[in-house]
Amino acid sequence: MSASTIKARLLTHFANPTTELTYQDPYQLLVAVLLSAQCTDARVNATTPAFFAKYPDMKSLASANFAEVLECIKSISYPNSKAKHLIKMANQVLQNFQGQIPQTQAELKSLAGIGQKSANVVLSVAFGANLLAVDTHVFRVAHRLGLSNAKSAKQTESDLSALFINDLSLLHHAMILFGRRICKAIHPKCSACFLQEFCVSRANFKPR
């Protein structure tokens, strides 16, 4: 009962939630998701307009100069490794997938810089797959609400997927927004929380 109530409240409070990354097509989403690892969506969104003006498609990115890509994303976290991953990823898509963004988890995870979380985001947002990605916000919220006790993001994903079954993409984004705006890592806004009765961690925080 608690899981269904949590789901209903999240999807009521955050109606039609989606990614806060700015993108126009699957190529742009894939790039933005890769850049967003351990970086804020706001920082990525501030960087990608100039990036996409210079590299509007997979072909232009595949032939890009590393130093120039690095210059474009220098304000992003881990720019060196991400610049290398972007160029390699673009070449992999051209060589292995005829220039089309792959639409399976295994194929996406074969690309440089793309793990399970990133693959799930691309599949759910760009292609409508019923998948849930576990980032730091989803992991924290799931554990504070007693929805999972798993030690890893992968197992937490399995727990949440089995618990909720449907609307996983919507729940993923709703849980992210809930984690960013209310159930923050430090100084959560417990007084504004609409899920207080389900929180197993509330005794650890002072009211705010």
Side-chain angles (χ1 to χ4, degrees), residues 93-143:
V93 171
L94 290 179
Q95 295 168 11
N96 301 335
F97 303 104
Q98 295 74 53
Q100 300 300 309
I101 307 298
Q103 296 186 35
T104 70
Q105 191 181 78
E107 289 174 334
L108 278 168
K109 288 170 64 177
S110 74
L111 302 177
I114 301 298
Q116 182 154 319
K117 179 189 74 174
S118 297
N120 284 4
V121 171
V122 172
L123 290 171
S124 62
V125 174
F127 303 113
N130 183 45
L131 292 170
L132 182 147
V134 176
D135 69 353
T136 182
H137 300 294
V138 174
F139 187 88
R140 179 176 67 256
V141 168
H143 286 71

Side-chain angles (χ1 to χ4, degrees), residues 4-167:
S4 61
T5 302
I6 289 170
K7 175 180 178 178
R9 289 189 192 176
L10 282 169
L11 296 184
T12 297
H13 192 87
F14 301 106
N16 300 313
T18 188
T19 181
E20 293 188 312
L21 292 170
T22 301
Y23 72 99
Q24 298 295 324
D25 53 41
Y27 160 70
Q28 291 192 1
L29 178 64
L30 181 60
V31 169
V33 168
L34 191 157
L35 291 174
S36 71
Q38 299 185 54
C39 187
T40 66
D41 288 356
R43 172 58 60 186
V44 173
N45 290 339
T47 301
T48 49
F51 183 93
F52 293 135
K54 190 174 182 66
Y55 308 109
D57 51 34
M58 204 65 76
K59 187 175 181 180
S60 58
L61 180 56
S63 61
N65 174 272
F66 169 77
E68 293 181 356
V69 172
L70 181 62
E71 178 64 23
C72 281
I73 65 168
K74 63 184 180 181
S75 65
I76 297 286
S77 59
Y78 307 106
N80 282 278
S81 61
K82 288 180 180 178
K84 293 176 183 177
H85 286 155
L86 284 168
I87 296 171
K88 183 176 180 180
M89 176 271 291
N91 278 280
Q92 288 174 311
V93 171
L94 290 179
Q95 295 168 11
N96 301 335
F97 303 104
Q98 295 74 53
Q100 300 300 309
I101 307 298
Q103 296 186 35
T104 70
Q105 191 181 78
E107 289 174 334
L108 278 168
K109 288 170 64 177
S110 74
L111 302 177
I114 301 298
Q116 182 154 319
K117 179 189 74 174
S118 297
N120 284 4
V121 171
V122 172
L123 290 171
S124 62
V125 174
F127 303 113
N130 183 45
L131 292 170
L132 182 147
V134 176
D135 69 353
T136 182
H137 300 294
V138 174
F139 187 88
R140 179 176 67 256
V141 168
H143 286 71
R144 285 183 178 173
L145 294 178
L147 299 172
S148 175
N149 291 315
K151 302 298 184 183
S152 69
K154 186 174 182 179
Q155 185 56 51
T156 301
E157 178 191 327
S158 296
D159 291 345
L160 294 176
S161 298
L163 191 62
F164 292 119
I165 303 175
N166 299 314
D167 302 315

